[in-house]
Amino acid sequence: SPTWKGGLTKKNYGQNWWSQRRKARERDLFNCVRCGKSEHENGQELSVHHIKLFRLCSNYQEANELKNLVSLCRECHSFAHSNQNINKEFLIDEDIV
């Protein structure tokens, strides 16, 4: 396909991303904080979402503070970034900052 860009790549969220991601999932007891679905029910690890978008933070330390991270299942993570999220649930973006 002419639109193929060589496959998916993982974003670089800084040196502490993987440890902070694990801590956020542990803090949230491996459950989605929006719908309550567990990782076991989800069939995969939960996503860890930046409430204040990563690109709006001044550095990765600010972005990856535990208070800025929340565990969400795939469906809830998609919802958080969608136009259906009219109340900006779990989202601080440039319209709010």
Side-chain angles (χ1 to χ4, degrees):
S1 166
T3 59
W4 187 67
K5 297 186 184 337
L8 298 174
T9 59
K10 299 237 181 211
K11 284 190 173 183
N12 181 0
Y13 287 130
Q15 294 176 345
N16 67 349
W17 168 242
W18 293 105
S19 63
Q20 291 299 89
R21 181 182 183 278
R22 181 180 29 64
K23 289 176 188 176
R25 291 174 41 247
E26 289 171 353
R27 178 203 58 210
D28 298 334
L29 302 176
F30 302 97
N31 292 309
C32 174
V33 298
R34 183 168 183 263
C35 73
K37 189 187 295 184
S38 71
E39 287 190 352
H40 179 74
E41 293 169 311
N42 197 39
Q44 64 184 18
E45 288 185 357
L46 295 170
S47 298
V48 176
H49 168 72
H50 290 91
I51 298 168
K52 180 178 179 184
L53 298 177
F54 188 88
R55 72 176 183 270
L56 299 177
C57 295
S58 58
N59 56 52
Y60 77 87
Q61 292 96 340
E62 175 190 355
N64 295 338
E65 289 183 33
L66 284 178
K67 67 182 180 181
N68 191 45
L69 301 175
V70 62
S71 301
L72 296 173
C73 69
R74 176 181 285 163
E75 293 84 14
C76 291
H77 196 198
S78 293
F79 169 81
H81 288 286
S82 76
N83 291 335
Q84 294 176 332
N85 188 4
I86 59 174
N87 294 324
K88 303 292 185 182
E89 186 178 352
F90 303 114
L91 188 63
I92 298 173
D93 64 15
E94 52 270 337
D95 294 335
I96 298 171
V97 177

